[in-house]
Amino acid sequence: MKYALIKNLPSVLCAEWKVPAVAQVCDDYGVPLTVVRVISDTADEKAHITAIGFVNQHAGDYSLSILKEYINLI
């Protein structure tokens, strides 16, 4: 799948696979939705290693920073 995207859409830098279905249901029912995603892996044969490394090294700090900014907005 990754290589098909690269071939057909060479300017795309990343793709979101999980949120679109949730967003569609929220839209269908008029439920507001805010999504914040961080790229955590390379979506290849090493993805399980890079994703775990990202979680261990960065996820907590990123999540806390995002929440602080969001709270400041409301």
Side-chain angles (χ1 to χ4, degrees):
M1 174 82 58
K2 175 183 172 180
Y3 299 107
L5 281 172
I6 292 169
K7 179 181 175 190
N8 294 307
L9 302 165
S11 64
V12 171
L13 299 176
C14 64
E16 170 53 51
W17 301 102
K18 299 171 184 162
V19 175
V22 174
Q24 182 63 58
V25 172
C26 287
D27 185 63
D28 290 348
Y29 289 93
V31 176
L33 173 68
T34 300
V35 177
V36 176
R37 296 291 309 239
V38 176
I39 299 169
S40 60
D41 64 67
T42 55
D44 59 14
E45 61 280 348
K46 296 180 183 176
H48 67 287
I49 297 167
T50 57
I52 296 300
F54 173 83
V55 168
N56 290 336
Q57 293 178 0
H58 305 292
D61 292 335
Y62 284 7
S63 299
L64 181 59
S65 295
I66 291 166
L67 284 173
K68 285 179 178 178
E69 290 295 322
Y70 184 75
I71 290 169
N72 287 333
L73 291 173
I74 55 174

